[in-house]
Amino acid sequence: MLYRKPSDARSTPGAIAAPPAPFDMTTTLPNALSGQHGSDQAISDHASAADAAARRGFGPRVRRLHGRIGAAHHRAEGMTFSRALLEGQANPLQLAALIRALGPAYALIEQRGPELAAALGAPNLPWSALNRSEALRHDATLVAGIEASRPSAAARAWLEHLGTLARQEPHRFLAHVYVRYGGDLSGGQQLAQQANTILAAHGLPSLRFWRFERPIPELKQALHDAMEQLELSETEEAELLDEAVVAFHDTQRLLAELGELATPTALAPTRSQPELLPLLVKYDKPVPRYTSYPTAAAFHTGVGPADLETQLRQATTADLSLYVHVPFCRHACWYCGCNRITTQAGSTVVGPYLQALARELALVTQASGRRRRLGQLHWGGGTPNYLNPQEQRQLWELIGEHFDLAPELEASIEVNPEFLSRDQVLNLRRLGFNRISFGIQDADPQVQAAVNRIVPVDQLRRAMEWMREAAFESVNVDLICGLPLQTPERFASTIALVQELQPERVSLFSFAYLPEQLPLQRRIAADDLPSQRERIRMLQHAYATFTGNGYDAIGMDHFALSSDSLALAARQGKLHRNFQGYTTGGERDLLGIGVTAISQFQTLFSQNQRTLKAYVHALDEGHLPVERGLEVRDPAVLLRRSIIQSLMCRFAVDFDTIALGQPLEARRQFASEWADLQTLEADGLVRLGANSLEVTEVGRWLIRTIAAVFDPSQRRQASGSRLI
């Protein structure tokens, strides 16, 4: 849309000057990608012919800003680094220094900017879409292993200046907002491409700083419109224009500093990250996967059907997440630790189980006294496609009898590709499922034989083709590292197959060998398992391959294409973790039905009977089939849950905001934990701030260990599965 003059502006003084030059984050460069400025070219897409036409629709204030900033390009200071970056000759040390330097300034802009802009008449600036702080925190973690250069004097001076403006001259502060975001939107896409190419050449993952979720032209227009809405006096208008030039040169001084890092020593390989194997061996003790806190190990039989009934009666209009456990499998995979029933009986066992689910759902509805709406639905197991198409429809319709389905329902199902057909896949999509997951685990025939799960590669390819034909919105594949007879070379072939299939999501689990607890695993010879070093090589190769080819690392063991909703939730800080793993469902109540299913509410966990006989017996008696659970009402425990959730989902904790908005002093309140964190910091796993905690890239491999610092039960006795 074109600029429309705001009717309530205090003034729009002066004549409209034609903008002499575009601007971007760096400056005009000889080897540019588009546009002309004198004898030089500019990387900004503002310099294209099409954008020049669009500029005629700018409002008077934005045209003046462009004019003043464009003129400042003639005195740009950051040419060395800008040229090196756009020619692909910058180095990771410079990029790491840039990310570290920008973080505090953007954090201040995004903390104070919304309030100041609204007070000056521009409440509609799209802050959530422009926000760079989350991306910078993510990127700072990615570059944690790159040698830290000396602190940036230019960045420090810029931050101090911004702080003064925020307190005393907010209209000048808004000039920095415009220059910063305007530059990121104008030249950032070309910069990102070059920066990530440089990082990939050094085996490093991609940065997010220049990646925006909304279309760039749309965000530019929203930024321009907001600037025009500012209600300024004539004096403030003049000061805004003057400050825009100051803001431009603040950035240029930072870029000039980065150029000085381009010395032969700076271009040499930077300090490597701490070696992973010794750290994993040092911290290799049993730790939970923290799909909940407290974990299921704390469940007890003091929680029963009455507790779940009380929970279900509570009034709420929020959408519900429903998990349905289908326990049946045709044969047993020897690595499996799931609750499943191996049988070839087919409909003979499925029919009675569906009847039991019908009774459980009737009891849930009776206890609730109303119909809840489902925002998420997931069928897991076992093998949900053990059910034939008629039985699948019967179960779907049964759910529809008791719940309303949200128009945007996220409905997912796990399937075994071994027994999958095209008709079955198309039927699942017609039924209403829009997300689907299947297990590859490992595509090598020898590894498959060693775990009794044989699915030819051609069948895996066909399964993916059928899912694409059915137009599932998202496909997930499961992989397991550490299986018997796996080698780095064999697992690399599996990773290459996954790259070929291009699922939206990948779950990469580390095999937990627990033959004492899982009798099936006794069929696996310990001597056939890969060594610790081999497992680490496999995990590192998978991580580098996925993150270097369009996937974001999500949490501790998931990857998602950057365009997928899970990756978006992670970037926006909205990722959640529950018994289904990482999810976009936020803090929705989770109701589990079926044998052994777990329900998760804010203050209650409940788990159904874990044997089919006990499950059916409870239903026959007219009771909800709850066997055990846990009530959690202690504020201290809920606080620890929030901390662990933040670590598992965001790899960081801000103790100023974690306690429901009430600041707490972490060093005092968690004194023993802080001492443990200092030990982890000495090993390069975390970075401690005055009242904050960030996990380094190396630390992500040990995120469960870091989270366990805040779990008192782990201090008393380690439990869970080992890291490697």
Side-chain angles (χ1 to χ4, degrees), residues 57 133 148 211 246 315 322 446 465 500 518 625 655 663:
S133 293
R211 185 188 305 164
V246 174
L322 179 68
Q446 295 185 61
E465 290 172 2
E500 172 194 329
L518 303 172
F655 292 101

Side-chain angles (χ1 to χ4, degrees), residues 102-374:
L102 291 177
Y106 275 84
L108 177 60
I109 286 172
E110 287 158 8
Q111 177 187 17
R112 299 299 311 278
E115 169 195 356
L116 299 178
L120 289 172
N124 298 321
L125 209 153
W127 291 101
S128 61
L130 292 171
N131 185 298
R132 301 292 87 205
S133 293
E134 185 70 27
L136 284 166
R137 284 193 292 272
H138 168 272
D139 292 347
T141 299
L142 291 186
V143 301
I146 298 175
E147 181 179 359
S149 56
R150 65 182 182 276
S152 168
R156 183 174 63 251
W158 180 29
L159 184 63
E160 292 174 357
H161 182 54
L162 281 174
T164 300
L165 295 182
R167 294 189 300 271
Q168 301 176 6
E169 298 182 278
H171 59 290
R172 289 183 180 268
F173 183 90
L174 268 295
H176 289 259
V177 171
Y178 179 72
V179 171
R180 283 290 13 97
Y181 292 134
D184 297 340
L185 292 168
S186 294
Q189 310 317 299
Q190 294 93 338
L191 294 174
Q193 183 177 2
Q194 293 289 2
N196 289 334
T197 298
I198 292 166
L199 292 172
H202 288 76
L204 297 169
S206 300
L207 299 175
R208 288 183 183 162
F209 172 63
W210 291 289
R211 185 188 305 164
F212 292 90
E213 302 304 327
R214 284 171 55 183
I216 299 296
E218 176 185 314
L219 286 176
K220 286 181 184 178
Q221 188 63 60
L223 176 63
H224 294 166
D225 287 349
M227 293 303 297
E228 296 294 349
Q229 291 167 1
L230 294 175
E231 300 173 1
L232 305 178
S233 67
E234 290 192 15
T235 299
E236 290 169 338
E237 182 82 18
E239 290 173 346
L240 174 78
L241 298 176
D242 290 342
E243 190 65 34
V245 177
V246 174
F248 174 80
H249 285 294
D250 280 343
T251 297
Q252 290 301 308
R253 279 188 285 274
L254 171 58
L255 297 177
E257 271 190 354
L258 296 176
E260 295 172 4
L261 296 177
T263 63
T265 54
L267 286 169
T270 57
R271 176 176 59 85
S272 63
Q273 297 175 347
E275 188 178 349
L276 188 56
L277 180 60
L279 290 172
L280 286 174
V281 171
K282 176 180 179 178
Y283 291 101
D284 188 22
K285 64 180 181 179
V287 279
R289 296 186 64 82
Y290 290 114
T291 50
S292 72
Y293 181 79
T295 68
F299 291 3
H300 58 80
T301 56
V303 169
D307 299 288
L308 180 56
E309 289 176 5
T310 300
Q311 176 65 54
L312 293 172
R313 280 197 298 270
Q314 294 185 11
T316 177
T317 59
D319 285 358
L320 181 70
S321 180
L322 179 68
Y323 171 74
V324 183
H325 189 73
V326 180
F328 308 113
C329 293
R330 288 181 176 84
H331 61 75
C333 305
W334 296 342
Y335 57 79
C336 184
C338 299
N339 184 293
R340 81 275 170 276
I341 298 169
T342 304
T343 175
Q344 302 293 328
S347 296
T348 303
V349 293
V350 170
Y353 189 69
L354 292 178
Q355 293 172 10
L357 289 175
R359 293 198 296 276
E360 184 178 7
L361 285 170
L363 290 171
V364 166
T365 300
Q366 179 182 331
S368 300
R370 66 196 185 286
R371 292 172 65 90
R372 292 283 298 272
R373 191 172 86 155
L374 297 185

Side-chain angles (χ1 to χ4, degrees), residues 134 137-138 140-142 208 543 552-559 570 573 575 577 582 642-654 685-687 692-707:
E134 185 70 27
R137 284 193 292 272
H138 168 272
T141 299
L142 291 186
R208 288 183 183 162
Y543 183 93
D552 290 353
I554 306 295
M556 66 177 184
D557 48 22
H558 285 55
F559 301 88
L575 198 65
R577 186 165 174 81
Y582 287 106
S642 296
I643 292 170
I644 290 173
Q645 179 86 202
S646 184
L647 283 169
M648 298 299 293
C649 295
R650 290 176 284 281
F651 297 112
V653 182
D654 181 354
L685 303 180
V686 300
R687 285 190 297 274
S692 63
L693 159 63
E694 280 189 278
V695 179
T696 66
E697 187 173 2
V698 172
R700 292 188 177 207
W701 295 94
L702 292 120
I703 186 61
R704 290 191 286 155
T705 299
I706 297 168

Side-chain angles (χ1 to χ4, degrees), residues 514-579:
L514 304 168
E516 301 84 4
Q517 302 173 33
L518 303 172
L520 269 180
Q521 292 189 359
R522 295 170 192 167
R523 303 190 184 191
I524 296 174
D527 290 344
D528 287 340
L529 298 175
S531 68
Q532 290 178 326
R533 186 173 294 277
E534 287 176 318
R535 290 178 69 159
I536 293 169
R537 283 179 58 195
M538 289 187 273
L539 289 169
Q540 288 181 312
H541 171 73
Y543 183 93
T545 300
F546 289 133
T547 57
N549 289 276
Y551 288 86
D552 290 353
I554 306 295
M556 66 177 184
D557 48 22
H558 285 55
F559 301 88
L561 288 176
S562 297
S563 57
D564 186 78
S565 61
L566 196 68
L568 179 61
R571 291 197 293 273
Q572 294 177 340
K574 297 178 180 178
L575 198 65
H576 185 61
R577 186 165 174 81
N578 61 21
F579 287 103

Side-chain angles (χ1 to χ4, degrees), residues 572-598:
Q572 294 177 340
K574 297 178 180 178
L575 198 65
H576 185 61
R577 186 165 174 81
N578 61 21
F579 287 103
Q580 296 173 18
Y582 287 106
T583 173
T584 60
E587 297 291 339
R588 283 194 183 108
D589 290 342
L590 169 64
L591 175 66
I593 64 170
V595 62
T596 203
I598 295 177

Side-chain angles (χ1 to χ4, degrees), residues 442-464:
D442 192 295
D444 184 86
Q446 295 185 61
V447 177
Q448 291 182 353
V451 295
N452 197 37
R453 178 175 174 104
I454 299 174
V455 186
V457 169
D458 286 347
Q459 173 65 3
L460 295 172
R461 289 194 174 102
R462 283 192 294 267
M464 180 60 84

